[in-house]
């Protein structure tokens, strides 16, 4: 897990607010993945990004969710107008390049919507 | 869409016993990874298997990639309470290398 930094670790939002989750990949990694995990379940793919490009967002809800990975700075997963069902752990992973699918994970952001 | 199915979903055994968990797919993967996740933490990469039939050992853990590269297994010898956790297999899907995960095997080793 060393190197992939996610913040905040815990985030509490009221219904209708916005949640911004940040992920700084390991140094030298240009590929970022976001996953969502509900209690007692596995990881559900949300979105795969390379620098400045969204490669695959097939796991993202079509409304309220967006992700970016700018040329400079961390990747951001943004959830607008949060609802209780958005409460989950959100994990970010990074990998070196497309040919190397070994991904290294951050410690996650636990979002609680109240 | 390629799916990775893991079995069993839950496993609770006594310390010292051996166990095997499985990761199966109808599709061929160029490589498979195994991760272990503890409560409140992110998954930690254990191993990558690449070649059909490949066997890798990590102390008491033995990982095998099926000959056809569609399945993999994880065997733990003399399980210890520290082995408790969620074991996830993962593989790259399609040409764009989206990494997908199985739902995991939740392992509990009883002291």
């Amino acid at each position: 897990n060393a190197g992939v930094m996610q913040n905040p670790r815990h985030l509490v939002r009221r219904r209708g607010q916005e949640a911004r989750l940040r992920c700084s990949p390991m140094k030298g990694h240009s590929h970022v993945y976001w996953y969502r995990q509900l209690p007692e379940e596995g990881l559900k793919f949300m979105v795969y990004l390379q620098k400045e490009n969204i490669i695959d967002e097939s796991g993202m809800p079509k409304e309220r969710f967006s992700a970016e990975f700018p040329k400079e700075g961390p990747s951001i997963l943004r959830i607008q107008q949060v609802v209780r069902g958005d409460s989950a752990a959100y994990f970010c992973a990074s990998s070196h390049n497309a040919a190397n699918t070994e991904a290294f994970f951050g410690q996650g952001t636990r979002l609680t919507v109240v | 869409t390629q799916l990775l199915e893991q079995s069993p979903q839950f496993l609770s055994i006594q310390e010292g016993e051996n166990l095997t968990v499985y990761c199966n797919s109808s599709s061929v993967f160029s490589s498979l990874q195994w991760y272990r996740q503890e409560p409140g933490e992110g998954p930690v990469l254990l191993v990558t298997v690449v070649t059909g039939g490949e066997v890798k050992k990590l102390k008491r853990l033995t990982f095998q990639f099926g000959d056809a590269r569609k399945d993999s297994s994880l065997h733990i010898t003399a399980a210890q309470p520290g082995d408790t956790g969620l074991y996830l297999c993962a593989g790259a899907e399609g040409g764009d290398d989206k990494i997908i995960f199985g739902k995991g095997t939740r392992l509990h080793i009883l002291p």
Side-chain angles (χ1 to χ4, degrees), chain A residues 37-51:
Chain A
Q37 187 176 39
L38 293 172
E40 306 299 312
E41 294 192 6
L43 294 164
K44 182 182 175 187
F45 169 80
M46 297 184 73
V47 62
Y48 166 31
L49 310 103
Q50 295 177 24
K51 282 283 187 181

Side-chain angles (χ1 to χ4, degrees), chain B residues 22-79:
Chain B
Y22 301 92
C23 174
N24 296 298
S25 175
S26 58
S27 302
V28 175
F29 286 86
S30 57
S31 68
L32 278 179
Q33 287 78 41
W34 283 92
Y35 292 80
R36 177 166 161 256
Q37 184 181 25
E38 296 189 42
E41 300 294 329
V44 175
L45 179 65
L46 296 175
V47 78
T48 295
V49 285
V50 178
T51 306
E54 180 178 7
V55 176
K56 283 191 173 179
K57 292 194 174 185
L58 187 65
K59 295 183 180 178
R60 293 176 294 102
L61 278 60
T62 302
F63 304 85
Q64 185 161 7
F65 202 11
D67 291 340
R69 290 185 289 129
K70 292 182 178 182
D71 54 83
S72 182
S73 64
L74 159 59
H75 182 80
I76 301 179
T77 304

Side-chain angles (χ1 to χ4, degrees), chain A:
Chain A
N1 283 348
V4 179
M5 303 300 295
Q6 288 189 250
N7 67 81
R9 286 291 306 272
H10 300 275
L11 182 60
V12 179
R13 284 287 178 265
R14 296 187 183 278
R15 281 177 294 173
Q17 291 185 320
E18 178 180 286
R20 279 186 179 236
L21 288 60
R22 294 175 182 77
C23 170
S24 296
M26 284 183 69
K27 187 176 181 180
H29 285 191
S30 59
H31 296 237
V32 166
Y33 311 83
W34 284 93
Y35 296 87
R36 172 185 158 122
Q37 187 176 39
L38 293 172
E40 306 299 312
E41 294 192 6
L43 294 164
K44 182 182 175 187
F45 169 80
M46 297 184 73
V47 62
Y48 166 31
L49 310 103
Q50 295 177 24
K51 282 283 187 181
E52 299 184 275
N53 290 307
I54 295 175
I55 305 302
D56 187 327
E57 56 182 346
S58 59
M60 290 272 275
K62 298 222 183 297
E63 296 178 350
R64 302 188 298 107
F65 285 71
S66 62
E68 63 177 9
F69 188 17
K71 185 176 180 180
E72 302 291 337
S75 175
I76 305 288
L77 178 66
R78 182 182 177 206
I79 311 173
Q80 294 178 289
Q81 299 176 330
V82 296
V83 301
R84 288 230 171 102
D86 297 332
S87 296
Y90 293 84
F91 288 96
C92 164
S94 72
S95 66
H96 180 61
N97 55 46
N100 177 6
T101 55
E102 294 179 338
F104 295 87
F105 281 81
Q107 291 188 300
T109 293
R110 276 142 193 86
L111 173 65
T112 302
V113 180
V114 297

